Every structure is written in C-alpha cells, then in structure tokens.
Amino acid sequence: MIINRLITRSICLSLLTLHISVAAMEWGGVEHHVSGVLDTRIKYADSIDSYLDGGLGKFAANNGGQIALSQLGLNYQAQWGDAWSSRIVANGYMDGFNNGIGLTEARVRYRDIPSESGIRLDVEFGLMYPKISLENVATAWASPYSLSYSTMNSWLAEEVRHIGLSTTIESLGKYRQSTHDFSLTAEAFMYNDTTGAMLAWHGWTQSSRQTLLQETLPITTIPAMQPGGMLDEQAANSDPFTELDDRIGAHVVAKWTWREKGSVQAGYYDNNADTLIVKQGQYVWLTQFGHIGAKWRLPMEINLISQYMQGSTIMTNTDGWPVVDNDFHSGYIMLSKRWSQHRVSLRVEDFSVTDNDDTPEDDNNEDGQSFTIAYQYQLDRPWFMQFEYNVIDSTRPARKYLNQPIDLVEQQWQVSSRYFF
C-alpha cells in the first residue's frame, strides 16, 4: 500500500517536474497563468457527526456552528506553442477535518488545431476527474452556482478520480456552417480500485471538499468491522488513489452541443476491477455506472442543469463471495438565474443505495432527497458573498448501529466570502 501511494505521488510529481522543466527551458516563449479561489465560510448545521469525522452525517460539518477555510484553490497553467499545455491544481482546507493542502489534479494536454473540416484532437494525461460534471466548472473544480455540490458531484470529488489518459475527438460545427458540435471522449485509467467503498459505508453526501492526493478517508465503524465480523480485515480508512489489481478501467462520453442553446451528454464508466484482491485492508471494488446530463438555456435567461447517474458497486472476499453488493442512483435538477450582480440557484435531488447482499450487520440501504437554495451577490469582479441553505431528508438503517435515528432530516446554513483571482 505504501509503495502504491509512492508510485501515485511519483507520477504526479513527474508531471509537475515536466511542467516546470518545459517552462524553464523557454520561459520567454511560454504563457503562464495563475488563478485561484479563496473561500471562507460561517456554517451552522443541525445534523449528526459528519461523514468526514467517521460519522453518518451528510454534511461536511458536525452539528453546531463552524468557521472554516472551505477552499483555498490554486491553479497554475503553462501554454507552450499552439497545442501543448499543462495544469497543476492544488486545494487546501482548514475545516477541522484533516486540515491540509495537496494536489487534486495534475495533467499534460495536447489540443490540436482544427482541420479544415473542423476535426480536432484533444489528449490529456495525468491525475484528473472523469469528464462528467456539468456543475463544477469554475477555478479549482469549484461550482459557480452553489457552495455545496450535488450529491453526485460530491461523490466524484471524494473518490472518483484517477490517473489516466483521456482522448477526445471533436467535430466543430462552425467549420461546416452549423451551430452543432459533437465530441466523443474515451478515457483509460488506473489508481482507483477502492471506488465505491465510501458510497457503500456512508452513502451519498453533500459537500465541497475534494480529497487530496495524500489523504485517506475514515470509514464509519459498524458491527461487521469489529473483530469476528465479516469485514474485520477492512482497514479503518479507505485509500481512494491506490492500484491493487494492475487492470485498466475505461470511461466513454458522447456530447452534443447546440451553440447558444445548450448541451447534452451521456457516458458509461467501468473501473474493470478484480474483486478477488485485498491488500493491507484495502479491498478492490468493481464499480460501473451510466450517466446522462444536460445544460440548457431557458427563457428569461434561466439556466437548467441536470444530471443523473445509475450503477452498481461490488466487493467480494478472495473466494469471490459478494460481501458488499450495491445498486445506486443519484440525480439532480438545478435552475440558476443571473442578473446584474445577483445569482439565485435552486437544486432538488433524489438519491438511493440498494443493498443486495446478505452480509450481517452491514446494511447499506439508503433513500433520500435534498433541496438547496443559494443566493450570490457580486461585490466586484472577483469577490462574491453567498448565502446557502441545504436540507437533506434521508433514511439509512445503518444509523441504528450508532444509536442514531434511521429517518433523519439534516439542515445546514452557510454564509461565504469567495474571492476568485
């Protein structure tokens, strides 16, 4: 496990070294761009212990009030020539849960000049997110719409990242006198073998915290993980960036864009994992899901953003017996209206986990809904004040293991100062 983590970090550090070395070779001919976000918040949660603290609370805050540095995001990009670029993204947090700073993305990119017919090749390699989110499009993977991500994108931020190669072929309509663009992306990746563990053991959550490269994630202590239980070999923390089976996963996405109108995309993700492997308390999870999404401009300049994900995740013992076998889904619809210095966003969500296995004292079933309303005021070009209210109504039988209510309504209020630079 230590070797795997060293390999992962070495790959990312090699990308960082390449990035710096190329820039140093020809500093005058390379374009450099530094950007970032500083997000400080005052929060109050009516909840239980946070999932970040090993509990089953849905928010990235324990019950009560909190002042936190919720994101210090730094983005450094270098562009050399017309086609080559590299990007390093780091994020930092001081919120009482494993405070620190670390890499969240590191990649090199080749983006060709379009041909006469409008065909363009776009290739990226490194530590990256799969091309799924329509919500997290601001600096350092922040969301310009809300302080807390949807449950779907919160899960991506927590444990659905990898080191891989992404290849996109685009057909640009303007070269065909058309307003329609099309693209097809194929991604091959490794270093994500535990993807699905956190979704199983704490369920869907809602936060804006991205797991740092060096971090591991606390698992809620349940009876099945006690000595003599079916899961007593599971480590206390899950490592989301580890490679255990030396197999390559795949992700494909097709996208249609109607310029000035919106876009629609659909994709399928399969980490192609060998579930017969367990090393130092880290099990390999086979996680597969399909996803669809749309971003559309409605009348009155209202933006509609909606995504839906459905899939399964399974973990077995070394004999192939299913210890955890879950189906899951999550979907949201968001409306966002911006005018003058104001933006209002409304988001509704539905999510669930269905437990299909017979493992005793490890009930992963969950069903819930969420509602978010966010108001943003722009003080000047880079500085925003934002208020947000979140409420999650969920049913999770595993809370009985912690003597907490199975049916629970959790609420959160946040006031934020976000400065983009």
Side-chain angles (χ1 to χ4, degrees):
M1 190 59 56
I2 294 175
I3 293 175
N4 280 327
R5 294 194 67 78
L6 288 174
I7 292 173
T8 305
R9 294 173 190 171
S10 295
I11 291 173
C12 293
L13 288 173
S14 297
L15 289 169
L16 177 59
T17 302
L18 173 64
H19 177 100
I20 295 172
S21 298
V22 172
M25 285 191 298
E26 194 181 349
W27 182 268
V30 178
E31 296 181 12
H32 305 271
H33 180 68
V34 178
S35 58
V37 56
L38 178 62
D39 182 346
T40 56
R41 299 184 197 175
I42 300 174
K43 305 179 184 181
Y44 182 82
D46 179 8
S47 182
I48 55 178
D49 288 345
S50 170
Y51 72 95
L52 290 173
D53 206 20
L56 289 174
K58 296 297 185 187
F59 298 124
N62 286 328
N63 189 56
Q66 181 186 52
I67 299 176
L69 173 61
S70 292
Q71 185 179 16
L72 172 60
L74 299 171
N75 177 88
Y76 172 52
Q77 182 171 344
Q79 179 83 38
W80 59 95
D82 294 324
W84 287 95
S85 65
S86 58
R87 182 190 300 271
I88 303 293
V89 181
N91 276 284
Y93 305 94
M94 291 185 64
D95 55 8
F97 302 110
N98 201 12
N99 299 335
I101 187 168
L103 290 179
T104 50
E105 299 176 69
R107 59 189 189 269
V108 175
R109 183 182 192 185
Y110 175 81
R111 192 173 190 228
D112 201 1
I113 298 174
S115 68
E116 292 183 358
S117 59
I119 303 300
R120 179 166 62 192
L121 180 66
D122 190 344
V123 180
E124 293 181 277
F125 172 75
L127 173 66
M128 66 182 76
Y129 285 99
K131 295 187 185 303
I132 296 176
S133 180
L134 298 177
E135 182 181 28
N136 299 78
V137 295
T139 303
W141 216 73
S143 169
Y145 308 103
S146 60
L147 298 177
S148 296
Y149 312 153
S150 63
T151 52
M152 177 193 303
N153 288 305
S154 294
W155 180 48
L156 297 183
E158 184 176 35
E159 65 169 355
V160 190
R161 223 173 318 157
H162 51 244
I163 293 175
L165 177 69
S166 174
T167 302
T168 300
I169 298 176
E170 299 175 282
S171 175
L172 304 177
K174 67 180 181 179
Y175 290 82
R176 298 178 275 102
Q177 290 74 52
S178 171
T179 57
H180 302 280
D181 300 335
F182 301 93
S183 69
L184 180 64
T185 299
E187 298 179 313
F189 53 81
M190 299 177 73
Y191 293 92
N192 67 337
D193 286 341
T194 62
T195 297
M198 304 313 298
L199 186 58
W201 286 322
H202 66 45
W204 297 99
T205 60
Q206 194 168 91
S207 77
S208 60
R209 205 179 200 283
Q210 303 171 54
T211 302
L212 307 178
L213 181 61
Q214 74 272 17
E215 283 188 296
T216 59
L217 305 170
I219 297 173
T220 305
T221 302
I222 57 175
M225 294 182 186
Q226 302 299 320
M230 289 288 293
L231 294 165
D232 63 353
E233 293 186 15
Q234 170 64 46
N237 283 37
S238 179
D239 184 347
F241 307 121
T242 190
E243 182 57 43
L244 302 172
D245 62 3
D246 298 324
R247 293 171 65 167
I248 298 174
H251 177 226
V252 293
V253 185
K255 185 175 182 179
W256 163 57
T257 301
W258 188 359
R259 273 176 284 138
E260 308 301 328
K261 299 288 186 179
S263 64
V264 176
Q265 68 180 36
Y268 183 76
Y269 178 102
D270 182 352
N271 72 344
N272 187 36
D274 180 359
T275 61
L276 300 180
I277 295 175
V278 55
K279 296 179 181 179
Q280 295 182 337
Q282 301 290 333
Y283 286 80
V284 175
W285 294 67
L286 175 62
T287 299
Q288 303 164 315
F289 59 83
H291 61 91
I292 57 174
K295 181 179 287 188
W296 211 257
R297 182 174 296 177
L298 302 178
M300 301 175 59
E301 297 186 351
I302 296 174
N303 288 318
L304 167 68
I305 304 172
S306 182
Q307 292 189 268
Y308 180 79
M309 170 189 291
Q310 182 173 334
S312 63
T313 185
I314 185 170
M315 181 265 276
T316 73
N317 61 16
T318 53
D319 295 323
W321 191 83
V323 180
V324 181
D325 181 1
N326 294 333
D327 295 328
F328 60 83
H329 89 266
S330 179
Y332 71 89
I333 297 174
M334 180 165 59
L335 297 175
S336 185
K337 164 72 173 177
R338 184 177 181 179
W339 72 101
S340 183
Q341 296 169 281
H342 311 273
R343 182 194 287 273
V344 173
S345 301
L346 303 174
R347 185 179 64 216
V348 294
E349 307 179 52
D350 185 82
F351 56 85
S352 74
V353 177
T354 302
D355 192 330
N356 301 312
D357 61 77
D358 298 320
T359 300
E361 299 184 302
D362 178 37
D363 193 336
N364 307 136
N365 284 297
E366 178 172 276
D367 183 71
Q369 295 77 40
S370 171
F371 173 75
T372 294
I373 179 170
Y375 169 72
Q376 180 187 91
Y377 181 77
Q378 187 172 8
L379 295 171
D380 58 28
R381 185 175 182 181
W383 189 13
F384 299 84
M385 299 297 295
Q386 192 156 336
F387 168 80
E388 182 168 300
Y389 170 72
N390 317 101
V391 58
I392 298 177
D393 183 355
S394 66
T395 299
R396 186 170 183 87
R399 293 195 191 107
K400 65 187 178 185
Y401 304 140
L402 305 181
N403 297 316
Q404 295 168 343
I406 293 174
D407 299 310
L408 184 64
V409 176
E410 300 168 83
Q411 301 179 80
Q412 179 177 247
W413 296 262
Q414 301 181 81
V415 178
S416 170
S417 168
R418 292 209 290 180
Y419 187 85
F420 291 88
F421 57 91

